Amino acid sequence: MADVRTYSIIYVVLLVLGTAKFVFFEIGISEQAAIGGTVVLAVIKSLLIAGYYQHLREEPRAISYMMLIAVFMVFLLTVAAGYSIQ
């Protein structure tokens, strides 16, 4: 199990990433670039949360692969729903 130092570092990284998402829209870059950067940072944040706070790094690899497959399936369902709406 991770120690308090690791949790503190991850928390600070999550704070910095959250602040960066706000800064993207305030520094004057295009809105599309800001949205793209926000999506990338959101993925990084979700991976950090799943890996450390939900302890997936300490689980057997099979459980991590199962989680990745589930996330991929949700992504496919989201894309399919987007196409069906159009």
Side-chain angles (χ1 to χ4, degrees):
M1 188 166 167
D3 57 352
V4 174
R5 182 176 177 264
T6 304
Y7 284 126
S8 300
I9 291 171
I10 297 300
Y11 181 75
V12 170
V13 169
L14 290 171
L15 280 174
V16 168
L17 291 175
T19 305
K21 291 190 325 183
F22 170 75
V23 170
F24 281 162
F25 289 97
E26 298 297 323
I27 61 174
I29 61 176
S30 70
E31 186 173 344
Q32 290 176 344
I35 291 172
T38 300
V39 169
V40 169
L41 291 182
V43 168
I44 293 170
K45 284 174 58 175
S46 65
L47 290 175
L48 284 173
I49 290 169
Y52 288 97
Y53 290 119
Q54 295 178 350
H55 306 288
L56 284 181
R57 291 182 48 86
E58 299 165 1
E59 295 291 335
R61 289 291 132 208
I63 293 177
S64 297
Y65 294 145
M66 184 179 65
M67 290 296 292
L68 286 173
I69 290 170
V71 168
F72 180 69
M73 293 299 187
V74 168
F75 174 74
L76 285 179
L77 285 172
T78 305
V79 170
Y83 281 122
S84 70
I85 290 172
Q86 292 180 358

